Amino acid sequence: MATRLILYALLAAGAAALILVLLAWAAERRLDRLSAPYISDDPARLPDVEVALVLGAAPIGPEGGPNRYLVYRLDAAAALWRAGKVKRLIVSGDKRPPDYDEPAAMEAGLIERGVPAEAIVRDELGVRTLASVQRAETAFGQKRLIIVSQRFHLSRAIFLARERDIEAWGFEARDVARAYSILTELRRYPSALRAYVDVWAD
């Protein structure tokens, strides 16, 4: 009897895990479809707005060198500013751990790329994509902006922004050809599902 109960419990847990996996995959695919009309890798196809929101990432990658995800986001943000599509760049990331400061690293990287310091605004409380999007509105008063990140990240950010009635477009940064790990590649799926939960719970 006990063995049978254990088997039923394992089957139920397996079925629940499979359902979650399928839901996460469907959520990611739907976010990509919903956001696609607002995303471009060509600045000329984006509107002129006051501000771009540059989403943060760890400055140092798992290999010990510069995080390529962040490098490509900064390249894209600088290109967007040089194209005259935006006047200011909000660099939003995490500064909570000691000796860890994503916004400072992003600001320094943009200055190296020719963006003047006065065009850069640091948001040190962008600990999640949701927080970065919310604070663009609540802390910086933006209801119309371009978000800069890789495609998989933009889909989620644009969904979160537009659900808050923020007019958001995405400037697609170059993606990393070979992800750092399988976890890096797969995390987009539960993150997409979490975006729906964030919207429903708001």
Side-chain angles (χ1 to χ4, degrees):
M1 183 66 177
T3 302
R4 186 177 296 175
L5 289 175
I6 291 171
L7 180 59
Y8 287 156
L10 289 173
L11 288 172
L18 179 59
I19 289 169
L20 278 176
V21 167
L22 292 173
L23 283 174
W25 177 84
E28 198 276 338
R29 292 290 81 210
R30 186 166 187 270
L31 288 189
D32 189 66
R33 288 194 302 273
L34 289 174
S35 302
Y38 307 106
I39 296 174
S40 178
D41 59 2
D42 180 0
R45 301 184 65 180
L46 295 170
D48 294 345
V49 299
E50 184 72 22
V51 166
L53 172 65
V54 189
L55 297 176
I60 305 300
E63 299 166 342
N67 186 335
R68 286 171 286 153
Y69 288 99
L70 186 60
V71 168
Y72 298 154
R73 291 178 198 181
L74 298 181
D75 289 344
L80 191 67
W81 182 84
R82 285 195 297 269
K85 305 305 289 186
V86 297
K87 297 177 181 177
R88 289 186 297 146
L89 299 168
I90 299 173
V91 291
S92 183
D94 195 353
K95 193 194 169 184
R96 289 176 303 173
D99 302 319
Y100 182 88
D101 193 334
E102 291 177 5
M106 295 164 76
E107 180 182 39
L110 287 170
I111 291 172
E112 288 175 2
R113 289 162 172 80
V115 180
E118 57 268 24
I120 305 167
V121 180
R122 282 195 275 180
D123 173 19
E124 298 171 346
L125 297 178
V127 297
R128 290 179 53 204
T129 304
L130 176 65
S132 295
V133 169
Q134 287 176 330
R135 286 178 53 75
E137 178 186 15
T138 59
F140 301 101
Q142 300 305 308
K143 291 289 289 183
R144 194 169 185 265
L145 50 79
I146 295 172
I147 303 174
V148 180
S149 191
Q150 280 75 25
R151 174 64 177 258
F152 69 89
H153 198 189
L154 285 176
S155 297
R156 180 163 26 110
I158 289 171
F159 169 75
L160 291 169
R162 288 191 168 265
E163 285 293 318
R164 292 182 63 86
D165 295 323
I166 299 171
E167 283 189 277
W169 294 265
F171 185 46
E172 184 177 350
R174 175 183 171 187
D175 206 351
V176 175
R178 184 170 174 268
Y180 289 122
S181 70
I182 188 65
L183 291 178
T184 303
E185 187 68 20
L186 292 179
R187 64 179 291 185
R188 67 186 65 182
Y189 297 101
S191 294
L193 188 58
R194 188 178 185 182
Y196 280 98
V197 174
D198 287 333
V199 166
W200 292 332
D202 192 1

